[in-house]
Structure formats: structure tokens, C-alpha cells
């Protein structure tokens, strides 16, 4: 269930409550006349089945300008009325996509932040060390730590809705993030080379991680599967499934390999790892966009305008 808190102009409270009463899957409706101070108006509380959220939000779009809408997840609901509302709503809760929720999430993750840059830089350095030490465990750890899928999901959402600004912003986030992460890892690898800690032999002896610089049809297939699974995990709120996505694709390891190969002037390995990085990103974008397109067929948006 989702809990909605609406602040509505008093003159339109009857209209808003009528929408809630007519939508299947909405229950526990409470009206608090004059309770809101900023903005002024009435407060309306209700619970809605996740499957009904798009219809409710779509029909109350005018509240974005005249009042306020807040939605939060209900972790526990002990109510026969709520159980009946879930049964009344079409579809299954785990399959439902709340487009407003997804839009806000991808919008937030499409922007560059210090946390994003630090996580990506640390992950890329771990991947670079994993390459030099021929350590698959370190590489898997780097995959899990990498935060790049949020920007990839934002590109998918932008392509689905033709939001070019979101696509450009997300692409810049990806490019700048990986550029900074590769630059930091390159500088560390270069210092290590000057100190005599590493040499070209570290790359020639890393047979167990050579898959990073050898993109093939399987790399693309894995990227497609990971992109689809990643989008599904975000839309369904299954964060645990994202871990599997992170350790399926080699975006961060490829970036780490690029940095190390650049520091050691191994140009064929640089080309191979750049190709792997590109194959993974393109595959995830294609699969993620197609997945969202299929989901929109089953869970359409109702009368919403974009804020992206």
C-alpha cells in the first residue's frame, strides 16, 4: 500500500475526494478541514494500492500547482479495508510501476554529486587494483560499489519519454563520472609505476580477468539481460536484485582496466577495455528502454505532465 497526503484548496476538496472515492484500490480516506497552513487548505489522507497510484496521481495533477501531494510506502497495514482495496485494484502490486516515483528517482540520480564521483572513483580504483593483482574478488567488489546504473536508468527513462534534457544530463553524468574515476585511477597507477610497484607484466599475467578487455556477443547479451533486470528491480522496488545487476556487467572493471593500461602504455588493452565499457552501456540502455516500453503498455500514465 501507498499512503497519500494531499493539501487541497478548500473550494476543490469535494472534487479531490470524489476522485479518490471513484478510483479502485483507494481506501481509508480522511479529510481534515482547514488543517493545512502552508499552503492553506484542507488535508486529505488516504491509502492506495500501488496498482492504483498512476490513476490517482494522474487525475489529481492540478494539485501540483494549487496544493501538494506526498506519497510514502506503507511497510505494514493491518486492515481488511486495505486488503480489499488491493484485491479491487487491477494487477499485482509487485508488477506495478508508479511513474511519478520512477521519474523523481531517475531525475535525482541523473545529476552529478560528490558522493557519486567518490563512489565511482573508489570503485574504479578497486577494479584497477583487482586487475593488477589478478583478483576477481576485488573486481566483484568494485562492481557492487559502482553507482553508474542510476544514470543509465535515467537515460532509458528519457528515451522512453523523449526527454532530451534528461538524456543529455544523464549522459554527461556518466561521461564526467567515468572520466574523473579513470583520471584518478590513472594518476595512482602512474605513481605506482614510477615507484616500481607495477609494470607491464602485471597485465600480461592477469589471465583470470582478461574477459574485461575481450568484448564479444556474450558481453552484449549479458548487458541486455542486466539492463532489463536493473530496470525491473528499480520499478518494483527490489533493491536486492540490483546487486546481481552490478556484478553481471563489467562497466567499472573496464574503466579500471583503461586507467591501468593507460598508465602502462598498453594501447591494445586500452582499446579492448574501452570497447567493453561501450558495449555494456549500450546494451543496458537498449534493454532498459525496451523494458520500460513494455511496462508502459501494462501500466500507462494517466493524464500526467512531465516535470523533467
Amino acid at each position: 500500500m501507498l499512503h497519500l497526503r494531499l493539501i487541497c484548496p478548500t473550494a476543490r476538496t469535494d472534487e479531490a475526494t470524489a476522485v479518490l472515492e471513484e478510483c479502485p484500490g483507494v481506501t481509508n480516506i480522511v479529510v481534515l478541514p482547514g488543517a493545512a497552513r502552508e499552503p492553506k487548505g484542507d488535508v486529505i489522507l488516504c491509502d492506495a494500492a500501488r496498482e492504483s497510484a498512476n490513476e490517482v496521481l494522474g487525475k489529481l495533477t492540478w494539485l501540483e500547482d494549487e496544493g501538494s501531494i506526498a506519497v510514502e510506502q506503507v511497510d505494514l497495514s493491518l486492515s481488511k479495508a486495505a486488503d480489499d482495496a488491493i484485491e479491487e485494484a487491477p494487477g499485482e502490486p509487485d508488477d506495478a510501476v508508479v511513474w511519478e516515483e520512477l521519474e523523481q528517482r531517475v531525475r535525482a540520480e541523473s545529476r552529478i554529486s560528490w558522493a557519486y564521483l567518490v563512489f565511482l572513483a573508489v570503485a574504479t580504483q578497486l577494479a584497477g587494483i583487482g586487475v593488477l593483482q589478478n583478483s576477481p574478488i576485488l573486481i566483484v567488489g568494485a562492481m557492487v560499489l559502482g553507482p553508474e546504473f542510476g544514470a543509465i536508468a535515467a537515460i532509458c527513462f528519457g528515451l522512453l519519454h523523449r526527454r532530451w534534457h534528461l538524456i543529455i544530463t544523464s549522459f554527461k553524468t556518466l561521461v564526467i563520472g567515468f572520466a574523473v574515476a579513470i583520471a584518478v585511477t590513472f594518476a595512482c597507477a602512474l605513481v605506482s609505476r614510477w615507484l616500481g610497484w607495477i609494470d607491464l607484466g602485471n597485465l600480461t599475467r592477469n589471465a583470470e580477468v582478461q574477459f574485461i578487455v575481450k568484448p564479444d556477443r556474450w558481453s552484449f547479451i549479458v548487458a541486455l539481460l542486466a539492463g532489463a533486470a536493473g530496470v525491473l528491480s528499480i520499478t518494483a522496488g527490489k533493491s536486492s536484485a540490483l546487486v546481481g545487476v552490478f556484478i553481471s556487467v563489467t562497466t567499472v572493471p573496464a574503466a579500471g582496466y583503461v586507467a591501468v593500461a593507460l598508465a602502462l602504455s598498453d594501447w591494445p588493452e586500452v582499446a579492448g577495455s574501452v570497447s567493453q565499457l561501450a558495449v555494456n552501456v549500450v546494451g543496458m540502455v537498449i534493454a532498459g528502454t525496451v523494458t520500460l516500453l513494455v511496462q508502459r503498455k501494462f501500466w500507462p500514465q494517466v493524464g500526467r505532465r512531465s516535470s523533467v
Side-chain angles (χ1 to χ4, degrees), residues 159-175:
L159 288 171
L160 179 71
H161 295 281
R162 299 181 182 179
R163 312 280 169 75
W164 308 116
H165 178 70
L166 178 61
I167 294 170
I168 292 171
T169 301
S170 305
F171 184 73
K172 284 172 60 178
T173 297
L174 269 182
V175 172

Side-chain angles (χ1 to χ4, degrees), residues 121-198:
V122 171
T124 303
Q125 288 187 74
L126 285 175
I129 295 172
V131 167
L132 292 169
Q133 296 299 310
N134 198 25
S135 172
I137 294 177
L138 277 178
I139 291 175
V140 170
M143 290 175 172
V144 175
L145 191 59
E148 75 281 2
F149 190 78
I152 292 173
I155 293 175
C156 297
F157 186 90
L159 288 171
L160 179 71
H161 295 281
R162 299 181 182 179
R163 312 280 169 75
W164 308 116
H165 178 70
L166 178 61
I167 294 170
I168 292 171
T169 301
S170 305
F171 184 73
K172 284 172 60 178
T173 297
L174 269 182
V175 172
I176 293 174
F178 274 115
V180 170
I182 290 172
V184 171
T185 306
F186 167 76
C188 294
L190 202 58
V191 171
S192 298
R193 182 182 182 182
W194 290 340
L195 292 174
W197 294 355
I198 61 174

Side-chain angles (χ1 to χ4, degrees), residues 88-118:
E88 181 184 4
E92 293 295 328
D94 287 345
D95 296 331
V97 180
V98 182
W99 292 102
E100 287 295 311
E101 177 186 48
L102 178 61
E103 182 174 331
Q104 287 209 353
R105 179 169 181 174
V106 298
R107 221 184 345 156
E109 295 188 355
S110 68
R111 304 187 184 104
I112 297 176
S113 64
W114 285 110
Y116 170 81
L117 292 176
V118 170

Side-chain angles (χ1 to χ4, degrees), residues 1 25-28 77-88:
M1 295 291 290
V26 178
T27 189
N28 298 333
S77 177
L78 303 176
S79 166
K80 185 178 185 304
D83 293 340
D84 292 342
I86 293 175
E87 290 297 325
E88 181 184 4

Side-chain angles (χ1 to χ4, degrees), residues 212-213 215 254 258 269-280:
I212 297 173
V213 290
V258 169
E269 301 287 79
V270 171
S273 49
V274 168
S275 299
Q276 182 73 284
L277 178 60
V279 164
N280 278 277

Side-chain angles (χ1 to χ4, degrees), residues 2 33 73 108 197 263 266 270:
L2 299 175
Q73 181 71 39
W197 294 355
D266 193 336
V270 171

Side-chain angles (χ1 to χ4, degrees), residues 40-80:
K40 290 185 178 180
D42 300 336
V43 174
I44 305 173
L45 307 174
C46 68
D47 293 330
R50 187 177 177 87
E51 310 94 294
S52 303
N54 290 316
E55 182 177 356
V56 172
L57 295 175
K59 292 181 177 179
L60 294 175
T61 182
W62 48 271
L63 271 178
E64 293 182 27
D65 296 324
E66 301 181 32
S68 172
I69 303 176
V71 183
E72 59 186 6
Q73 181 71 39
V74 177
D75 294 327
L76 177 63
S77 177
L78 303 176
S79 166
K80 185 178 185 304

